């Protein structure tokens, strides 16, 4: 039983990895969706619509770090168009800057994750995380539809 | 036959005279109107600057300082490319020699100090609704900002759009100069929000559908539309299911302050610049804008082009 579960698990992981390679657009969209969903919970806390929740905050920072690691590799040259992508050509024109911004986000999210223990530290350490989102979306993503 | 030709010539001349007369630029104030210079307040002008979103187009691209108003930002449109001019306090390359009346004429009549029409890429169609005193305060604020040397590029427009007199005809059809008067049936907060959005923030200039001549179609006002370049889509922000129906007041004011949308995403493209301006305003002003935007009746936007 355990063996077959492991086999299924390995298969699923394998399919995931293959999908990531064969369809980078779908993968990066799914990755960003995860970040958005996790960050939406934190936005509610920031707006005073939900109580502080350390688990939710850490989940958002984890999602950001995961995206920061995975995303730069998900923009191969053959993924500039198609799949309803919102990525602008500028991603490939200034790929070094694009990648550097991901690295910055990853680092800042890691620092914040280590620093945030409670609501007080959250308010200080999370305050500027959102600027990373806008900074990149301004240059590299089409307007929201 | 000769008589017919003569008629044609006379008719053409009359039409040309008519065009010349109808399309004449009409400033609001004489440039040397001293009264406009009295009582200006630069700190109040800063709020007008931020609410009016001047930096979005006039801050020089490729650098971080939104108060370096050297211009040069390219607004690509179906009519050609507009390049935002230098509005820094530089005496030769910017507007350092302008009087407050010059700025009122520019922003509220769309007429330059030399008496030419400005193209409506410059949203004087919105600023015309502002209080002239607010524009005067803005002039006082602009004078406190650093001069930036270097003229911006000239616009590259195709014929006939490059004929500035043609803008005079456009204004006849599309330019409503009426000031916004307070609606007593609404709260002071709503009226403040309306003033900030419709006389300064010029939200509707991007968030509306336009006709082939670039005029806002009233049934699509605030209902979104193609962006000026015609490539992307600016969202519907009326109370429509495809607009901001599901957004709370707090969602709107928070997005204006931080750029973060309720779904955990962030705003895209030019809206990031708008947020940088809006973030400078006091909370009460962003809340007022939210109250006004939340009051916009839901409208169906113009049809979107099919997705590729």
């Amino acid at each position: 039983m355990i063996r077959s579960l492991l086999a299924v698990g390995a298969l699923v992981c394998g399919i995931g990895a293959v999908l990531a390679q064969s369809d980078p657009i779908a993968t990066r969209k799914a990755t960003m969706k995860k970040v958005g969903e996790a960050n939406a919970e934190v936005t509610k806390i920031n707006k005073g619509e939900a109580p502080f929740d350390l688990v939710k905050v850490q989940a958002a920072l984890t999602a950001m770090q995961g995206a920061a690691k995975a995303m730069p590799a998900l923009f191969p040259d053959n993924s500039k168009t198609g799949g309803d992508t919102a990525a602008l050509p500028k991603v490939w024109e200034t790929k070094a800057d694009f990648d550097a911004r991901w690295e910055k986000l990853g680092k800042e999210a890691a620092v914040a994750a280590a620093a945030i223990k409670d609501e007080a530290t959250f308010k200080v350490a999370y305050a500027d995380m959102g600027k990373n989102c806008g900074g990149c979306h301004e240059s590299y993503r089409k307007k929201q539809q | 036959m000769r008589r017919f030709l003569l008629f044609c010539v006379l008719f053409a001349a009359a039409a040309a005279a008519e065009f010349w007369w109808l399309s004449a630029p009409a400033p609001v104030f004489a440039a040397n109107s001293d009264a406009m210079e009295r009582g200006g307040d630069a700190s109040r002008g800063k709020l007008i600057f931020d609410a009016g979103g001047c930096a979005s187009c006039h801050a020089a691209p490729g650098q971080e300082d939104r108060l370096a108003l050297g211009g040069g930002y390219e607004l690509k449109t179906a009519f050609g490319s507009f390049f935002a001019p230098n509005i820094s306090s530089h005496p030769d390359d910017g507007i350092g020699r302008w009087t407050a009346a010059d700025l009122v004429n520019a922003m509220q009549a769309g007429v330059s100090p030399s008496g030419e029409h400005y193209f409506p890429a410059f949203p004087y169609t919105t600023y015309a609704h502002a209080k002239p005193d607010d524009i005067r305060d803005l002039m006082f604020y602009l004078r406190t900002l650093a001069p930036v040397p270097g003229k911006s590029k000239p616009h590259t427009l195709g014929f006939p759009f490059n004929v500035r007199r043609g803008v005079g005809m456009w204004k006849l059809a599309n330019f409503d100069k009426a000031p916004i008067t307070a609606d007593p049936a609404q709260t002071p907060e709503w009226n403040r929000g309306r003033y900030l959005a419709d006389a300064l923030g010029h939200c509707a200039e991007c968030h509306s559908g336009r006709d082939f001549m670039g005029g806002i179609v009233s049934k699509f006002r605030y209902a979104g539309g193609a962006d000026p370049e015609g490539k992307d889509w600016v969202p519907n922000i009326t109370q429509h299911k495809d607009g901001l129906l599901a957004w709370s007041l707090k969602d709107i004011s928070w997005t204006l302050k931080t750029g973060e949308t309720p779904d955990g995403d962030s705003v895209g493209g030019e809206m990031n610049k708008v947020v940088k301006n809006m973030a400078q305003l006091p909370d009460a002003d962003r809340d007022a804008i939210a109250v006004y935007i939340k009051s916009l009746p839901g409208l169906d936007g113009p049809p979107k082009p099919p997705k590729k």
Side-chain angles (χ1 to χ4, degrees):
Chain A
M1 182 63 194
I2 287 177
R3 213 177 265 181
S4 54
L5 268 182
L6 278 177
V8 170
L11 194 66
V12 170
C13 289
I15 290 171
V18 170
L19 270 181
Q21 278 161 7
S22 65
D23 193 351
I25 294 177
T27 311
R28 67 200 189 208
K29 285 177 92 78
T31 306
M32 292 310 287
K33 193 157 191 280
K34 254 187 225 162
V35 174
E37 282 166 359
N39 188 51
E41 297 301 317
V42 184
T43 302
K44 279 183 202 151
I45 297 169
N46 269 323
K47 281 152 90 174
E49 292 171 348
F52 173 74
D53 184 335
L54 185 60
V55 175
K56 285 179 178 167
V57 172
Q58 289 293 355
L61 290 167
T62 305
M64 287 177 197
Q65 291 176 73
K69 226 175 262 168
M71 287 294 276
L74 293 172
F75 292 82
D77 282 343
N78 63 2
S79 69
K80 293 184 184 176
T81 55
D84 200 19
T85 182
L88 290 170
K90 195 166 153 55
V91 168
W92 291 270
E93 288 160 19
T94 52
K95 188 67 166 49
D97 173 70
F98 181 75
D99 291 353
R101 283 167 183 263
W102 280 113
E103 199 185 329
K104 175 173 173 285
L105 174 70
K107 271 188 195 156
E108 286 183 17
V111 169
I116 295 174
K117 311 270 185 238
D118 52 26
E119 191 166 4
T121 46
F122 161 71
K123 280 189 173 151
V124 178
Y126 205 92
D128 285 337
M129 290 304 301
K131 288 188 181 158
N132 287 305
C133 310
C136 247
H137 286 159
E138 177 173 4
S139 314
Y140 293 113
R141 185 184 66 169
K142 262 193 237 175
K143 287 187 190 82
Q144 278 184 303
Q145 302 227 344
Chain B
M1 184 63 196
R2 195 175 277 180
R3 221 179 248 183
F4 177 70
L5 273 180
L6 185 69
F7 172 78
C8 286
V9 168
L10 282 176
F11 183 81
E18 179 93 356
F19 173 81
W20 204 246
W21 179 68
L22 282 175
S23 66
V28 184
F29 290 104
N32 58 359
S33 171
D34 288 342
M36 275 312 297
E37 296 290 336
R38 275 182 229 124
D41 179 340
S43 64
R44 284 199 67 248
K46 179 185 182 299
L47 192 138
I48 305 303
F49 178 83
D50 292 327
C54 313
S56 293
C57 285
H58 292 286
Q63 51 96 42
E64 292 296 309
D65 184 1
R66 55 187 282 283
L67 302 181
L69 303 174
Y73 170 74
E74 179 179 6
L75 182 68
K76 290 183 199 152
T77 74
F79 312 109
S81 277
F82 297 94
F83 292 91
N86 182 334
I87 61 160
S88 77
S89 58
H90 195 280
D92 300 315
D93 299 336
I95 61 170
R97 294 188 212 276
W98 281 29
T99 63
D102 284 335
L103 190 65
V104 173
N105 286 330
M107 291 181 63
Q108 305 211 271
V111 176
S112 76
S114 63
E116 279 188 319
H117 288 299
Y118 285 119
F119 292 105
F122 170 32
Y124 51 78
T125 40
T126 287
Y127 300 141
H129 306 307
K131 299 181 187 93
D133 282 0
D134 282 348
I135 310 295
R136 172 203 58 200
D137 291 342
L138 172 60
M139 189 74 234
F140 276 64
Y141 175 65
L142 290 174
R143 286 171 183 158
T144 69
L145 300 179
V148 179
K151 280 219 180 285
S152 179
K153 287 182 230 173
H155 307 317
T156 52
L157 306 175
F159 184 81
F161 307 113
N162 55 354
V163 179
R164 282 188 187 264
R165 272 290 180 136
V167 175
M169 304 306 284
W170 186 91
K171 282 178 175 175
L172 288 179
N174 294 291
F175 189 18
D176 166 22
K177 288 188 198 173
I180 287 180
T181 49
D183 180 347
Q186 299 281 355
T187 62
E189 192 180 28
W190 182 94
N191 278 300
R192 173 73 180 158
R194 181 185 180 209
Y195 184 75
L196 289 166
D198 284 349
L200 298 172
H202 60 281
C203 316
E205 300 282 350
C206 286
H207 285 282
S208 301
R210 289 179 181 269
D211 61 24
F212 73 103
M213 279 305 293
I216 288 177
V217 179
S218 54
K219 69 172 178 173
F220 296 143
R221 187 171 168 82
Y222 281 113
D227 81 339
E229 287 191 47
K231 283 185 187 161
D232 298 336
W233 201 260
V234 185
N236 184 336
I237 56 170
T238 69
Q239 292 299 295
H240 186 278
K241 65 175 172 43
D242 298 335
L244 300 187
L245 185 59
W247 287 40
S248 67
L249 290 175
K250 182 82 190 182
D251 288 339
I252 298 172
S253 59
W254 184 264
T255 298
L256 291 174
K257 183 178 184 170
T258 65
E260 295 175 351
T261 52
D263 58 355
D265 200 344
S266 80
V267 298
E270 302 307 303
M271 191 63 194
N272 279 283
K273 293 186 189 171
V274 176
V275 167
K276 281 178 195 146
N277 301 326
M278 288 290 160
Q280 301 287 322
L281 301 183
D283 281 327
D285 277 344
R286 279 186 299 270
D287 291 346
I289 294 172
V291 166
Y292 175 63
I293 296 296
K294 193 68 192 163
S295 79
L296 298 170
L299 296 175
D300 284 316
K304 280 187 195 179
K307 287 198 174 179
K308 276 167 246 164

